[in-house]
Amino acid sequence: MTSPTPLPTPVAATPADTAAAVALARRIPKAELHIHIEGSLEPELIFALAQRNGVALPYASVAALRAAYAFTDLQSFLDIYYAGASVLLHEADFADMAWAYFLRAKADNVVHAELFFDPQTHTARGVPMATVIRGLTTACARARAELGISSHLILCFLRHLSEEDAIATLEAALPFREHFIGVGLDSSERGHPPTKFERVFARCRELGLRLVAHAGEEGPPDYIWQALDVLRVERIDHGVRCLEDAALVARLAAEQVPLTVCPLSNLKLCVVSDLADHPMKRLLDAGLCATVNSDDPAYFGGYLNENFAQTVQALHLTRADVVQLARNSFTASFLCDEHRQALLKNLEQSIEKE
Ligand code: HPA
Ligand code: ZN
């Protein structure tokens, strides 16, 4: 009797393979779909704006502020993030913040970005909606003209506030309807399920806005089901906890619902204890449309390429994984089909140039 042919042992990625995958990730054009623009405020810019606007900060120096960036969970981050945003008062502040992000995005070969903004963080301090949206729109137009980066704005409702507050925010933003492509849901997830915002999302849907929501970052898989079935969102922001629910993974895979995953954010907010345990590889292997994003790069230790580099290193992602992630970033975007196809073609040409 002949013994069965042994199965080939999987070939481990060599350090050279991983280095090549990192280099590829850095070099190719990508879209970023999950970046809170207020989370791109670097400590230096927070201090410069505080001085320009005469705002007192509860930190003595840039170093003292940076030293406070030791988070234990989402809420411990949000408390500091909202304090940082308090220096934003005038249209130029919003424009300067977003322009600084676009310069960093350019350095990382980001060619399209979809920026979240949190108007309630500003309107609650007396900053008019017009100031926020006009400032951000100015930077988006400049990024297109001077850097060749296209962008969309996505207005996020703060889920720790009431649905009535979200509805009032939507009404205040409607005079600027042409400047934002969709709405999202962010802030403290636990205890604030998507169902709380069913009516305002239904209204946004009627208005033709694109819909996304944070779900399954700290919250349970049930919040992802709710975001899909009650809010009827097109993308899930984070969504990493879907892996706890096999039926949910099957649904996300079958419908190719994009997940905008943020590895360094998950590490810094203790969603994972080590990047080597990050679920990104499992999400890809399950056939999900996962993307890599920076979330709040000034707070979490890196912009898009740093997220790619550290994730590829920690999980030994392959060049094929990197290509898949970059393709997903365009397919999951809210670009019109013509622009999407052009950017996908540009990506394929860039991959071939090896
Ligand atoms: N989760 C929820 N709300 C947020 C985040 C996040 O990662 N960043 C900014 N607001
Ligand atoms: Zn986020």
Side-chain angles (χ1 to χ4, degrees), residues 217-239:
E217 177 187 14
E218 283 189 343
D222 188 44
Y223 283 18
I224 303 177
W225 286 107
Q226 289 181 20
L228 294 173
D229 293 333
V230 180
L231 303 188
R232 304 182 65 185
V233 302
E234 300 165 72
R235 294 197 302 240
I236 298 288
D237 297 311
H238 292 294

Side-chain angles (χ1 to χ4, degrees), residues 45 59 172 192 255 267 303 345:
L45 188 52
Y59 300 93
H192 301 285
E255 296 180 12
L267 180 65
Y303 288 76
K345 192 169 161 206

Side-chain angles (χ1 to χ4, degrees), residues 36 74 77-78 81 186-187 214 217 238 265 269 295-296:
H36 301 262
L74 176 58
F77 154 70
L78 289 170
Y81 162 84
D186 66 2
S187 190
H214 282 53
E217 177 187 14
H238 292 294
S265 164
L269 300 187
D295 208 6
D296 300 283

